[in-house]
Amino acid sequence: MTRYSVFSLARNALAYHQAWPEAWRSPEPRPEYDVVIVGGGGHGLATAYYLAKEHGVTNVAVIEKGWIGGGNTGRNTTIIRSNYLWDESAAIYEKSLQLYEGLSRDLNFNIMLSQRGVLNLAHNEHDLKELSRRVHAIRLNGIDSEILDPAQVKAMVPIINISRELRYPILGASLQRRGGVARHDAVAWGYARAADARGVDIIQNCEVTGFSIANGTITGVETTRGAIKARKVGVVVAGHASVLAGMAGFRLPIESHPLQALVSEPIKPVLDCVVMSNAVHVYVSQSDKGELVIGAGIDAYTSYAQRGSFHTIEGQIGAITELFPIFSRLRQLRQWGGIVDTCPDASPILSRTPVENLFFNCGWGTGGFKATPGSGWCFAHTIATGEPHPINAPFALERFTTGTLIDEHGAAAVAH
Amino acid sequence: MLLIDCPWCGKRDETEFSYGGEAHIARPTDTDTLSDDAWADYVFIRSNPKGVHRERWFHVHGCRRWFNLARHTVSHEILTIYKIGERPELPDDKTAPKPKAP
């Protein structure tokens, strides 16, 4: 692997940038691997990377039905934060944020992490009380969080409307200064390149069509490019977890919904942090290109269609123009929908399954991108050792039977 | 956006309705002896098919009555709409995967 540095940049500049090698290989699938990861999104690639780096398991294939970075990893609103209420969530999202903070150096790939601060607005007295409860809970977990009054919000975001005449006036906000955004494609590409350099085979355009299971133990996967044997299989397929669980013969507490986001025409810098609102349900940041990146909630009904309803976008735009009247005449450049797996308690599943040596990592709902490194790190531990790490042990499938749910509905700083 | 043919009111815009999740999930009757697994199956586990999904809808801004419909989750095509208590057969029923509970 060519190490990216100012020297390699200069050397390649002299060669008119014609000599850069491919960032990762495109090998033919081998007949057998120690571990097969199904799904080449950020979480799957991170799992493969940490399997190789932390556990020395390098005989690994990542199987992707499309191309790397072509799914939800490459089409989200790129927000990173760890301001979650419950201890279990705080642990896994904070692990992720800490890994993000060193990720560019670790992967030798600039993921363009920008810790510009994440604001969560409060619009009524109850919001304010809930917000201060949450801020204190977060601080007890050793995670940075603070409360701003409306004047401080205005000082930080001069274009925001803090008039008391608003239907949903801004009464305050919580702020996580270490939160921010990162380049989502770079996260996928960086993990792919770093995993490949440690010997992981990344196999694109290869769809899993079934599992080989003997006596309740996984023995391999059936794919559109033939059967591949595997001692262990990790499934990380946002949007299609229920479909793959069905192939393995069990059911999940998951429903798939469309989640839409949209991007405006590029404008000069006006917004240098992330602003989220639970009550009016919208979140917005400005990309390096100057576009506003706007997201909101899921469409109500289950779907695998990767498109949503127009009235969902209408609600999103209504909320954004009330908070930021300056945006009202902006044209929207593009809009898209992805499919997210939602769990009844709005927390993910990183778990063993009823099939021995088959592991599932799913149910991240609308907020999987921020968890990419932590999710991969925990899932790699779970696959390598066969046991969950203490960080992801609470996120087992069994919690829906025992009742120890991690209810992050509304507690996660934004409604899911 | 869906155009939903309410069995009582006729074709109306999706925004008049609210979604009620998967249909035909009957509450267990033997609740005092029901196992935790069976409770979990009833409360949390859903079929979530990539294909025909039978689901409940509520005409909240109309007649305020519940009904069922069968919708394809990829094309969003509504195959049939029927009243609570009915369950018309669909050709897809035979081919749709019906995985067993764990």
Side-chain angles (χ1 to χ4, degrees):
Chain A
M1 182 177 80
T2 308
R3 198 174 156 72
Y4 293 158
S5 69
V6 67
F7 303 109
S8 67
L9 187 64
R11 203 165 49 245
N12 279 280
L14 292 173
Y16 299 98
H17 295 295
Q18 300 295 306
W20 288 107
E22 283 184 330
W24 58 84
R25 299 165 292 129
S26 295
E28 282 299 309
R30 290 204 293 267
E32 188 168 355
Y33 290 93
D34 288 341
V35 178
V36 165
I37 305 290
V38 182
H43 290 231
L45 295 164
T47 305
Y49 173 69
Y50 291 116
L51 270 172
K53 184 187 175 209
E54 305 283 344
H55 305 281
V57 184
T58 56
N59 186 17
V60 176
V62 177
I63 296 176
E64 165 58 42
K65 76 171 173 182
W67 65 95
I68 296 303
N72 292 349
T73 301
R75 37 169 71 199
N76 57 71
T77 52
T78 76
I79 298 168
I80 293 167
R81 59 186 176 87
S82 62
N83 55 348
Y84 279 74
L85 175 66
W86 300 115
D87 296 350
E88 297 86 350
S89 313
I92 196 164
Y93 290 106
E94 177 61 18
K95 173 73 191 172
S96 202
L97 180 51
Q98 287 175 6
L99 287 168
Y100 261 127
E101 285 173 327
L103 197 58
S104 290
R105 185 175 292 263
D106 188 24
L107 299 180
N108 179 229
F109 201 105
N110 187 3
I111 61 154
M112 296 164 77
L113 176 69
S114 166
Q115 292 177 292
R116 57 183 66 182
V118 174
L119 280 171
N120 288 91
L121 304 177
H123 297 275
N124 54 47
E125 286 297 323
H126 177 78
D127 271 6
L128 268 183
K129 285 177 185 163
E130 179 62 37
L131 189 129
S132 61
R133 175 204 182 200
R134 183 157 26 88
V135 164
H136 292 308
I138 293 163
R139 291 173 69 151
L140 285 172
N141 277 318
I143 299 167
D144 76 301
S145 192
E146 56 198 275
I147 298 175
L148 304 187
D149 63 25
Q152 290 170 311
V153 173
K154 184 73 177 174
M156 194 163 168
V157 190
I159 57 169
I160 206 164
N161 183 3
I162 58 164
S163 159
R164 302 286 287 195
E165 306 304 312
L166 283 181
R167 172 72 181 82
Y168 300 102
I170 293 165
L171 303 185
S174 70
L175 170 64
Q176 185 179 24
R177 291 189 191 273
R178 287 165 60 241
V181 294
R183 174 84 197 276
H184 48 4
D185 297 317
V187 173
W189 297 336
Y191 271 123
R193 175 170 167 271
D196 177 86
R198 288 176 184 268
V200 172
D201 281 1
I202 294 168
I203 299 157
Q204 302 178 77
N205 299 309
C206 179
E207 184 174 353
V208 167
T209 53
F211 295 106
S212 306
I213 298 168
N215 301 323
T217 303
I218 194 96
T219 58
V221 293
E222 310 285 334
T223 78
T224 49
R225 290 170 69 173
I228 301 172
K229 284 186 190 161
R231 287 177 42 239
K232 293 176 178 177
V233 175
V235 176
V236 205
V237 287
H240 279 73
S242 297
V243 176
L244 271 91
M247 290 176 189
F250 59 93
R251 307 204 311 160
L252 291 172
I254 277 182
E255 290 190 297
S256 302
H257 291 264
L259 176 68
Q260 298 181 88
L262 45 99
V263 166
S264 77
E265 58 187 325
I267 52 174
K268 288 193 173 181
V270 289
L271 183 63
D272 64 355
C273 61
V274 182
V275 178
M276 313 181 76
S277 167
N278 192 349
V280 298
H281 208 173
V282 74
Y283 36 94
V284 61
S285 64
Q286 190 171 20
S287 73
D288 294 336
K289 283 188 284 184
E291 304 148 326
L292 296 173
V293 184
I294 303 167
I298 55 175
D299 276 60
Y301 51 74
T302 61
S303 171
Y304 288 86
Q306 292 189 306
R307 65 175 183 275
S309 299
F310 185 71
H311 64 83
T312 308
I313 298 175
E314 197 179 3
Q316 193 167 338
I317 295 295
I320 209 79
T321 51
E322 176 162 278
L323 293 176
F324 302 99
I326 192 176
F327 294 160
S328 63
R329 280 175 294 164
L330 269 186
R331 281 174 289 254
Q332 300 306 322
L333 205 61
R334 60 182 188 275
Q335 161 272 342
W336 66 94
I339 300 304
V340 297
D341 290 336
T342 58
C343 271
D345 59 353
S347 287
I349 296 167
L350 290 104
S351 182
R352 298 198 298 212
T353 67
V355 179
E356 195 66 28
N357 291 338
L358 175 65
F359 304 87
F360 263 63
N361 179 353
C362 58
W364 287 94
T366 61
F369 176 72
K370 73 171 87 70
T372 304
S375 159
W377 192 87
C378 291
F379 200 46
H381 179 100
T382 308
I383 292 173
T385 64
E387 296 290 333
H389 189 274
I391 291 179
N392 69 302
F395 296 96
L397 206 45
E398 289 77 32
R399 75 178 188 269
F400 297 98
T401 307
T402 61
T404 50
L405 303 179
I406 304 157
D407 182 12
E408 286 292 354
H409 274 292
V414 66
H416 287 264
Chain B
M1 194 180 298
L2 307 175
L3 184 65
I4 299 174
D5 195 359
C6 171
W8 288 277
C9 310
K11 286 194 169 74
R12 299 294 177 87
D13 193 283
E14 176 197 326
T15 51
E16 287 190 15
F17 299 85
S18 66
Y19 176 68
E22 187 174 352
H24 306 298
I25 298 176
R27 190 174 198 276
T29 48
D30 51 342
T31 50
D32 48 349
T33 55
L34 207 62
S35 69
D36 288 350
D37 282 337
W39 269 120
D41 195 60
Y42 163 66
V43 177
F44 297 121
I45 307 292
R46 294 294 177 265
S47 54
N48 193 27
K50 187 176 189 176
V52 176
H53 187 231
R54 289 170 184 265
E55 58 201 25
R56 303 181 301 174
W57 284 79
F58 177 42
H59 198 179
V60 60
H61 299 301
C63 60
R64 297 192 60 78
R65 287 209 253 193
W66 286 90
F67 58 91
N68 293 328
L69 59 81
R71 181 179 57 90
H72 198 285
T73 55
V74 179
S75 67
H76 290 178
E77 183 192 357
I78 296 171
L79 296 121
T80 180
I81 297 184
Y82 53 99
K83 294 181 182 174
I84 298 288
E86 299 171 357
R87 199 183 192 290
E89 284 299 309
L90 287 170
D92 275 63
D93 281 3
K94 293 183 188 69
T95 53
K98 283 178 187 162
K100 290 185 288 292

